[in-house]
Amino acid sequence: MRSSVVIGAGIGGLAVAGALARSGWRVTLVERADRIRPEPTAVVLWPNGVRALHALGLGAGLDAIATPLPDGGVRRPDGQWLVQPRPTPADRMPVVVHREDLHDALIAGLGDGVELRTGVTVRTVRAESGARPSVGDGRHTIEADLVIAADGTDSVVRRQLAPEAAVVSSGSAAWRAVIPWYRAPRLPADTLPAGEVLGAGYRFVSASLGERGSSGASSRGGIYWVATAAGAPRPEPPETQLALLRRWYAGWPAPIADLLDATDPADLVQQEIRELRPLPRAYGFPAGPGGVVLLGDAAHAMPPHLGQGACLAFEDAATLAALLRESRLPDAVVAYDRVRRPRAAAVVRQTRRMSAVLQARGRLALRARDAALGTLSPRLLASAAASAAQWRPPS
């Protein structure tokens, strides 16, 4: 029986661990935290992410927890439309899913074939030609045919195998929250709960998670919002951070003030936006009978402006699982690197172009951005949507 060690029990690690276990692998999943606990926020999945989950055998319950995300358009802080809402073809429409619901589906997909070890901090990795790959925590070493590093932006494995890939700040921070339906404001019929408002260094995006009062499989519905602002993360407690957000976004169009007023400090999740520059020189490192691969943010951490982080992680997992079914293990490691690096690089380029548009500062730059946004942003988004719609896992 082939064996694998998966480092990191985030969504990418959980997805690939379950897929390998269902294919007959002996899988050890190690996680640094003492408990596996998802953020109480949400995640946007484009068609490529949805397709990847189906390829991994995890799509059956997705419809019960996912809500279609129609185009809500883009406005300025004074309410003026920069990009009017447009109909989205069904095959290009993203969905939004509560992270806790997605986490539950991924945990259920592990089955009994995965040994989960929490409280394990991986400190070393071995990827040499004459020995089985392994990882160690300073006291114990775990060998396997394949090591999958899904240990996030600060990946220890990547730092050792691809030290050229540096983690840098994107110069902004993000705040996320889900307001449960029982506390969510009742919006006027002509107020869109989904949409984007774009200012000078500030951005606010909101979307509905299901319908108010619906009786679907998930009880975690509500309104999901994300606010980004230029600068470093705030060190103050959540109560103060929320007060700052209400001040920064005062006077912005409805329903932003209502959503912030309905948000509890306990709902708030703050995150510094970081990325890898440059990307790793390789995503696969053959070693002994198998090798080591990088997956998810460990391979291609990027700003969230196109909502592709989770989707690429699921693409990675689906691609690796397919290649392992069709190829010998060392060849699959090489093929994974060959397939995934160009794909990730293309999405990162699209994301960086969008970042340049969204992060315009200064009066002249803002005027130029607003003048061009009506044509540039739809083209960028259409290109990203087409790329997402066209992606298929290896057959």
Side-chain angles (χ1 to χ4, degrees):
M1 178 182 291
R2 295 186 292 182
S3 62
S4 175
V5 176
V6 179
I7 309 167
I11 57 176
L14 290 171
V16 75
L20 293 188
R22 290 190 297 277
S23 297
W25 284 64
R26 185 175 70 252
V27 181
T28 302
L29 175 61
V30 298
E31 165 59 36
R32 179 175 59 184
D34 292 330
R35 294 178 58 191
I36 302 177
R37 187 180 308 172
E39 292 180 348
T41 60
V43 60
V44 173
L45 297 177
W46 288 80
N48 54 319
V50 173
R51 192 172 291 120
L53 283 174
H54 280 275
L56 290 164
L58 296 168
L62 186 61
D63 291 343
I65 61 175
T67 302
L69 186 60
D71 184 3
V74 183
R75 291 179 288 171
R76 294 195 330 186
D78 61 5
Q80 177 182 336
W81 286 104
L82 294 171
V83 181
Q84 290 277 355
R86 303 181 182 187
T88 304
D91 65 337
R92 296 192 178 187
M93 184 177 291
V95 298
V96 60
V97 183
H98 200 292
R99 278 188 177 269
E100 293 178 350
D101 288 332
L102 182 58
H103 174 85
D104 288 350
L106 294 173
I107 289 291
L110 293 180
D112 298 325
V114 177
E115 178 190 0
L116 175 60
R117 302 183 188 180
T118 58
V120 178
T121 300
V122 171
R123 304 183 188 280
T124 61
V125 58
R126 183 180 68 195
E128 302 169 355
S129 59
R132 296 180 80 203
S134 66
V135 295
D137 64 357
R139 297 178 301 169
H140 305 97
T141 299
I142 308 174
E143 290 187 348
D145 299 313
L146 179 67
V147 171
I148 302 172
D151 48 343
T153 305
D154 295 310
S155 170
V156 171
V157 174
R158 188 198 61 245
R159 288 204 302 266
Q160 294 184 32
L161 298 183
E164 71 283 353
V167 180
V168 299
S169 173
S170 295
S172 57
W175 290 262
R176 296 177 172 85
V178 172
I179 308 169
W181 280 129
Y182 69 84
R183 206 173 352 105
R186 290 190 174 273
L187 305 178
D190 60 348
T191 299
L192 292 174
E196 176 177 348
V197 186
L198 188 60
Y202 295 85
R203 184 187 187 204
F204 195 98
V205 183
S206 56
S208 290
L209 278 165
E211 297 293 334
R212 185 190 296 269
S214 63
S215 56
S218 170
S219 61
R220 299 184 178 118
I223 299 180
Y224 171 53
W225 62 259
V226 182
T228 56
R234 304 295 303 197
E236 298 90 349
E239 292 82 1
T240 306
Q241 293 178 29
L242 189 54
L244 286 171
L245 290 170
R246 289 167 178 160
R247 188 176 73 194
W248 291 342
Y249 294 93
W252 284 42
I256 293 175
D258 292 333
L259 297 181
L260 291 175
D261 286 344
T263 301
D264 188 273
D267 302 330
L268 205 59
V269 176
Q270 181 187 211
Q271 179 184 18
E272 181 182 16
I273 298 177
R274 300 181 298 159
E275 59 184 301
L276 292 179
R277 284 182 180 262
L279 293 176
R281 60 181 172 82
Y283 288 167
F285 305 86
V292 180
V293 299
L294 305 179
L295 185 146
D297 283 346
H300 39 65
M302 69 188 81
H305 304 313
L306 291 179
Q308 281 292 325
C311 295
L312 281 190
F314 291 140
E315 279 190 25
D316 292 343
T319 300
L320 182 60
L323 292 172
L324 289 170
R325 287 193 300 268
E326 301 298 330
S327 307
R328 294 175 56 251
L329 186 48
D331 295 336
V333 171
V334 173
Y336 175 82
D337 176 63
R338 183 179 65 249
V339 171
R340 293 310 297 163
R341 270 196 301 133
R343 168 65 177 162
V347 175
V348 167
R349 283 195 299 271
Q350 291 175 329
T351 300
R352 288 174 180 170
R353 291 180 64 197
M354 182 58 75
S355 296
V357 173
L358 297 178
Q359 294 178 355
R361 304 292 297 276
R363 183 176 300 177
L364 293 178
L366 286 172
R367 286 180 178 174
R369 181 202 68 187
D370 291 353
L373 197 62
T375 56
L376 178 60
S377 178
R379 286 206 309 269
L380 286 174
L381 291 174
S383 175
S387 176
Q390 293 167 3
W391 179 84
R392 297 290 190 279
S395 57

